Amino acid sequence: MMIVIKNVLQEVGRVQLAQILRALQVYVQELYVIRNRYLIIIMHVPKILSTYLIGA
């Protein structure tokens, strides 16, 4: 009986670990996408500012 419980606990632990890892993976990918968006925006700021200043 103890062996069965131990196996079940190990299996549950493995499943939870897999779910946590998957969630982390998604989170990291989203962070990466957001960071890239901000980098693109930041890279465009000088261009926008210069055209605005020249136009003003």
Side-chain angles (χ1 to χ4, degrees), residues 6-21:
K6 195 175 160 196
N7 285 349
V8 168
L9 283 176
Q10 279 182 327
E11 199 55 46
V12 168
R14 207 173 291 130
V15 169
Q16 282 185 325
L17 196 65
Q19 286 176 336
I20 290 166
L21 285 175

Side-chain angles (χ1 to χ4, degrees), residues 29-41:
Q29 284 173 339
E30 283 176 2
L31 277 182
Y32 208 77
V33 167
I34 291 165
R35 191 192 73 120
N36 286 347
R37 255 185 228 149
Y38 275 117
L39 281 178
I40 290 165
I41 291 165

